[in-house]
C-alpha cells in the first residue's frame, strides 16, 4: 500500500501517517469491492421519487395514495420548522405527564427522558432491573437533567407481563387520595422497551422469540388499550394521550433478529385502527421510523461500520440525535397535528433505498478487517 516512512519519525507522526494511509486504504478496498453499486438506490425508487431521495428525516402521509405512506413536502416543512424552533427557543414540558418504557443505559429512551426532565415534565419510567444500582443511576440522571417542576418516578416493570401492564396503568391513573397511585392523566406515552434477539433465524424461534414479540407488539397494544379504558372512565376524551410508537425500516433486511421485524410491522396496523376503531379521541399516534442508531443495545455490533455506510449516502444517528428527532414529535404543533390524523415520521436516514443491506454490511466488515491487518503490519514494521 506504499507505506514509506523514515525510522526517525516520532511516534505521533507515525500514528498520524498510519491513520491517514489507513483511510486511503479503506477507500481503495471499498472501491475495489464496488460497494457503491450495492448501496445505490434502485431504479424503481429513483423513478418513484423523480430521481431524488427525500430528506434524511421527513414526514409521510397518504395524501397521494390511500394505501401507501409517501413523502409529504408540506408536512415535512412543518416538522423542520418545529425542529428549528426547538433549537432556537427550546421545548417546554411544564405541567406535562409522560410514561416511558425502555430506558436502559445508552438507549434512545434514556436520552428522551433527559429531554423531558430538562423541559420540566413529570415522568414515570420503568425498569426491569429494579435495584439500588439502578435507582442510583436514575437519581444521577435527575440530578443532572431535572429542572424546575420536573418529577421522576421509577417503577419495576416487565413489559411481557399482562399483569404488569394493568398494574402500571392503574398506578398512573388511579385516585391518589385512595391509595398509592399518582392520579395523573398522561400527555405522552413512549413504549420503547425491546428485547434483542441477535443471531436468531427462523430455525431458532423459541419461547424467547415469543416473549420478545409479546413485549414489543401484543403488550404495546394492550398498554394503549388500558390507557384508553382509564381515560374513558375518567372522562378525559378532550385531552388525548399521544403515543409515540417505535417503528423500524428493518422488516427482515438485517436478518437473524427473531420476530423483531414482525413486531414492528404489527405496530403499523395501529395507524389504520385509529380510523376504524373507537379510541381516536382518547389516544393519538405518532410513528417514528427509527433508523440506524449508533451505541444502542440493538446496534452495538454494527457501530464499527457506521462510518463506511455513511460514505455511500445513508445516514446513521447517535442516540442523542434520534432522541432530538423524537422530542420534535412531542412539540405542541405536532401534538395538535396528531389529533387530526396519525403522524408518520421517517427517521430511517434513507436506508430503505439501499438494497442488499445484509450482504453490504458483511462486506464492509471484511474490508475493515483488511484495514486492521494492514495497520498491525505497518505498526509492527
Amino acid at each position: 500500500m506504499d507505506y514509506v516512512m523514515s525510522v526517525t519519525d516520532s511516534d505521533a507522526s507515525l500514528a498520524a501517517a498510519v491513520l491517514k494511509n489507513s483511510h486511503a486504504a479503506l477507500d481503495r478496498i471499498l472501491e475495489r469491492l464496488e460497494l457503491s453499486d450495492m448501496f445505490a438506490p434502485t431504479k424503481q425508487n429513483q423513478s418513484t421519487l423523480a430521481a431524488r431521495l427525500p430528506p434524511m428525516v421527513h414526514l409521510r402521509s397518504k395524501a397521494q395514495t390511500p394505501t401507501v405512506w409517501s413523502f409529504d413536502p408540506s408536512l415535512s416543512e412543518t416538522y423542520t420548522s418545529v425542529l428549528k424552533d426547538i433549537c432556537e427557543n427550546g421545548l417546554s414540558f411544564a405541567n406535562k405527564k409522560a410514561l416511558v418504557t425502555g430506558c436502559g443505559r445508552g438507549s434512545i429512551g434514556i436520552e428522551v427522558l433527559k429531554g423531558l426532565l430538562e423541559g420540566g415534565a413529570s415522568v414515570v419510567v420503568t425498569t426491569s432491573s429494579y435495584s439500588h444500582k439502578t435507582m442510583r443511576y436514575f437519581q444521577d440522571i435527575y440530578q443532572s437533567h431535572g429542572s424546575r417542576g420536573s418529577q421522576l418516578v421509577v417503577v419495576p416493570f416487565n413489559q411481557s407481563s399482562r399483569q404488569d401492564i394493568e398494574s402500571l396503568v392503574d398506578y398512573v391513573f388511579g385516585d391518589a387520595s385512595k391509595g398509592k397511585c399518582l392520579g395523573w392523566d398522561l400527555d405522552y406515552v413512549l413504549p420503547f422497551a425491546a428485547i434483542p434477539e441477535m443471531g436468531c433465524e427462523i430455525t431458532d424461534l423459541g419461547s424467547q422469540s415469543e416473549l420478545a414479540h409479546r413485549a414489543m407488539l401484543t403488550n404495546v397494544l394492550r398498554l394503549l388499550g388500558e390507557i384508553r379504558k382509564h381515560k374513558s372512565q375518567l372522562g378525559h376524551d378532550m385531552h388525548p394521550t399521544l403515543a409515540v410508537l417505535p417503528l423500524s425500516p428493518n422488516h427482515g433486511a438485517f436478518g437473524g433478529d427473531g420476530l423483531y421485524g414482525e413486531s414492528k410491522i404489527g405496530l403499523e396496523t395501529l395507524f389504520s385502527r385509529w380510523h376504524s376503531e373507537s379510541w381516536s379521541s382518547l389516544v393519538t399516534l405518532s410513528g417514528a421510523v427509527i433508523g440506524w442508531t449508533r451505541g444502542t443495545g440493538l446496534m452495538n455490533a454494527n457501530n464499527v461500520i457506521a462510518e463506511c455506510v455513511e460514505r455511500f449516502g445513508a445516514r446513521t444517528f447517535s442516540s442523542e440525535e434520534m432522541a432530538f428527532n423524537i422530542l420534535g414529535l412531542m412539540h405542541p404543533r405536532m401534538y395538535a397535528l396528531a389529533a387530526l390524523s396519525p403522524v408518520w415520521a421517517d427517521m430511517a436516514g434513507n436506508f430503505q433505498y439501499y438494497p442488499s443491506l445484509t450482504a453490504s454490511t458483511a462486506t464492509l466488515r471484511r474490508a475493515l478487517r483488511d484495514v486492521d491487518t494492514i495497520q498491525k503490519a505497518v505498526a509492527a514494521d
Side-chain angles (χ1 to χ4, degrees):
M1 306 303 289
D2 301 323
Y3 293 107
V4 179
M5 299 192 65
S6 169
V7 294
T8 60
D9 285 343
S10 66
D11 291 341
S13 298
L14 176 63
V18 169
L19 181 61
K20 179 180 178 180
N21 285 308
S22 296
H23 283 295
L26 178 58
D27 288 336
R28 286 193 286 270
I29 290 173
L30 296 179
E31 182 180 355
R32 187 180 76 242
L33 293 171
E34 298 180 346
L35 281 180
S36 58
D37 293 335
M38 192 176 294
F39 275 85
T42 62
K43 293 181 179 179
Q44 180 182 1
N45 284 325
Q46 282 184 336
S47 61
T48 302
L49 297 171
R52 184 180 69 88
L53 296 180
M56 297 294 182
V57 177
H58 60 273
L59 297 191
R60 293 172 172 255
S61 71
K62 291 186 176 181
Q64 298 180 7
T65 308
T67 58
V68 178
W69 292 91
S70 56
F71 171 51
D72 191 313
S74 177
L75 290 179
S76 297
E77 184 177 351
T78 300
Y79 180 57
T80 302
S81 68
V82 162
L83 297 179
K84 182 179 179 181
D85 179 61
I86 295 174
C87 291
E88 294 177 350
N89 304 310
L91 180 59
S92 173
F93 292 109
N95 301 316
K96 301 297 184 182
K97 307 291 192 295
L99 168 63
V100 185
T101 70
C103 287
R105 296 174 185 268
S107 67
I108 299 172
I110 201 68
E111 299 301 327
V112 171
L113 171 63
K114 293 175 182 178
L116 288 168
L117 292 175
E118 290 172 359
S122 297
V123 189
V124 172
V125 297
T126 66
T127 176
S128 58
S129 57
Y130 194 81
S131 64
H132 176 72
K133 181 179 180 181
T134 300
M135 296 305 294
R136 285 298 302 269
Y137 172 70
F138 282 109
Q139 183 179 14
D140 291 342
I141 292 291
Y142 184 76
Q143 290 175 344
S144 300
H145 301 276
S147 59
R148 184 173 60 182
S150 65
Q151 183 179 357
L152 178 60
V153 181
V154 184
V155 297
F157 178 68
N158 174 11
Q159 192 159 306
S160 301
S161 166
R162 176 173 183 170
Q163 180 179 351
D164 277 17
I165 293 286
E166 295 173 349
S167 298
L168 174 64
V169 179
D170 285 340
Y171 173 70
V172 172
F173 283 90
D175 190 345
S177 64
K178 295 182 179 180
K180 296 182 179 179
C181 299
L182 297 175
W184 290 3
D185 182 16
L186 292 175
D187 295 279
Y188 312 103
V189 56
L190 296 93
F192 278 24
I195 300 177
E197 293 183 89
M198 299 301 179
C200 180
E201 299 189 356
I202 61 171
T203 54
D204 307 313
L205 297 179
S207 58
Q208 179 70 11
S209 300
E210 295 177 2
L211 185 71
H213 190 69
R214 182 183 177 92
M216 293 187 289
L217 176 60
T218 306
N219 279 1
V220 171
L221 272 62
R222 186 169 281 142
L223 175 64
L224 299 185
E226 288 295 315
I227 291 174
R228 184 263 185 208
K229 187 187 303 181
H230 280 74
K231 290 180 73 71
S232 179
Q233 292 171 353
L234 295 170
H236 293 167
D237 55 343
M238 298 302 292
H239 179 237
T241 296
L242 175 63
V244 181
L245 301 176
L247 307 180
S248 175
N250 177 18
H251 295 169
F254 276 102
D257 49 12
L259 296 175
Y260 179 83
E262 287 75 11
S263 300
K264 298 306 179 181
I265 293 173
L267 288 178
E268 295 177 11
T269 63
L270 283 168
F271 291 84
S272 297
R273 288 173 179 265
W274 191 85
H275 293 284
S276 61
E277 296 185 354
S278 61
W279 43 271
S280 59
S281 63
L282 300 165
V283 178
T284 57
L285 303 174
S286 283
V289 182
I290 299 174
W292 189 315
T293 307
R294 306 182 304 273
T296 61
L298 294 174
M299 295 300 291
N300 268 337
N302 297 305
N303 286 346
V304 68
I305 60 174
E307 179 186 354
C308 301
V309 169
E310 289 198 341
R311 295 190 186 192
F312 297 104
R315 177 74 158 83
T316 66
F317 302 86
S318 67
S319 55
E320 292 86 355
E321 290 170 335
M322 188 56 69
F324 173 75
N325 294 334
I326 292 170
L327 287 168
L329 295 176
M330 303 162 70
H331 188 279
R333 267 183 273 171
M334 301 305 298
Y335 180 93
L337 196 62
L340 302 176
S341 183
V343 173
W344 184 291
D346 190 326
M347 306 173 183
N350 286 338
F351 263 98
Q352 61 270 43
Y353 303 107
Y354 293 82
S356 306
L357 188 59
T358 302
S360 304
T361 53
T363 307
L364 285 171
R365 292 179 192 280
R366 290 197 299 271
L368 287 173
R369 282 197 295 269
D370 290 344
V371 171
D372 184 57
T373 301
I374 293 169
Q375 287 178 321
K376 290 180 179 178
V378 171
D381 187 63

